[in-house]
Amino acid sequence: MLTMDNIVREGHPALREVAKPLTFPLSEEERTLAHEMMAFLENSQDPDISEEYGLRAGVGLAAPQLAIPKRMIAVLIPGEYEDDPPELKAVMVNPKIVSHSVENICLKDGEGCLSVDRDVPGFVVRHTRITVTYQDINGKTFKKRFKEYPAIVLQHEIDHLNGIMFYDHINKENPLNLDDDVKILG
Ligand code: UDB
Ligand code: ZN
């Protein structure tokens, strides 16, 4: 199983590369990767398993974080209440933001990253709503709209496919500067 030891940290060149599109059918290895990435998120959100293996509770993971330069992400956003079905559970292959809102949003407490072992304060401004095209592991194509928290997570993960880290979006001079038309979530 994947643990924090499999996740590369800032400074590793894999996090700054532009990942390559996948072609179908996926190889056996690529299908296994998809399942392992989702299993990591599930394990990380399980209190017993995460404690036993020292996992941070993750909502998203991108293949470049495993030093695999391929355009694959996994997202697992829990439902509002315990035992609710997940708000979003998906492995997305070749995800692409094809349109987005003019309105922007950011998380009240900023962002962190499984590949970043420090607190980086500052607002990370994202699009409030996005339309994403992607393929599932079988090559079926989807076009879906996401808003608010799921949209933020997807933008964070798709950034990883393009070598972009969350703190690249933080205003260097004034990290807590925010245009007054940006919505704050949380
Ligand atoms: C995370 N987790 O996974 F609302 F069950 C962050 C870390 C960096 C703190 C582990 C997170 O926000 N957990 C969380 C939030 C909830 C409910 C819950 C767990 N990521 C993903 C990442 O680093 N992917 O590359 C960072 C998030 C910051 C904003 C979007 C993704
Ligand atoms: Zn990240």
Side-chain angles (χ1 to χ4, degrees):
M1 76 179 249
L2 294 177
T3 68
M4 297 306 294
D5 290 345
N6 298 103
I7 296 177
V8 300
R9 306 304 159 86
E10 52 176 338
H12 194 292
L15 294 173
R16 289 307 193 180
E17 282 164 22
V18 177
K20 298 256 189 307
L22 288 154
T23 56
F24 290 90
L26 297 185
S27 68
E28 193 61 46
E29 200 177 21
E30 289 163 345
R31 296 176 72 90
T32 301
L33 173 65
H35 287 116
E36 289 189 333
M37 287 172 65
M38 184 56 72
F40 171 85
L41 295 177
E42 289 173 334
N43 289 336
S44 79
Q45 291 180 23
D46 179 303
D48 298 324
I49 300 176
S50 69
E51 164 153 326
E52 179 170 357
Y53 294 96
L55 310 178
R56 296 172 75 193
V59 287
L61 182 66
Q65 295 182 275
L66 304 168
I68 298 169
K70 297 184 180 183
R71 302 187 78 81
M72 182 187 289
I73 64 173
V75 287
L76 181 61
I77 300 177
E80 194 160 0
Y81 303 98
E82 219 184 328
D83 299 350
D84 274 4
E87 176 168 9
L88 176 59
K89 176 177 181 170
V91 171
M92 298 185 180
V93 176
N94 303 326
K96 183 178 161 61
I97 297 169
V98 293
S99 66
H100 62 77
S101 59
V102 172
E103 187 183 89
N104 291 322
I105 192 169
C106 67
L107 290 174
K108 169 174 71 63
D109 296 320
E111 295 189 10
C113 181
L114 290 162
S115 295
V116 177
D117 292 326
R118 62 193 171 103
D119 194 53
V120 186
F123 292 120
V124 179
V125 176
R126 305 283 190 187
H127 308 300
T128 303
R129 294 174 296 278
I130 55 174
T131 301
V132 179
T133 60
Y134 66 94
Q135 289 156 298
D136 69 10
I137 62 167
N138 299 313
K140 182 174 183 223
T141 299
F142 294 81
K143 182 175 183 176
K144 288 190 184 171
R145 297 238 301 154
F146 300 93
K147 62 175 165 63
E148 299 180 327
Y149 189 64
I152 291 170
V153 175
L154 285 168
Q155 286 169 82
H156 178 113
E157 303 313 331
I158 292 170
D159 268 355
H160 279 306
L161 304 182
N162 296 318
I164 297 167
M165 301 293 287
F166 74 92
Y167 45 75
D168 299 341
H169 298 287
I170 297 175
N171 184 315
K172 273 224 174 60
E173 287 73 48
N174 186 355
L176 297 177
N177 178 69
L178 206 56
D179 291 350
D180 47 23
D181 56 349
V182 179
K183 189 167 149 177
I184 302 176
L185 186 66

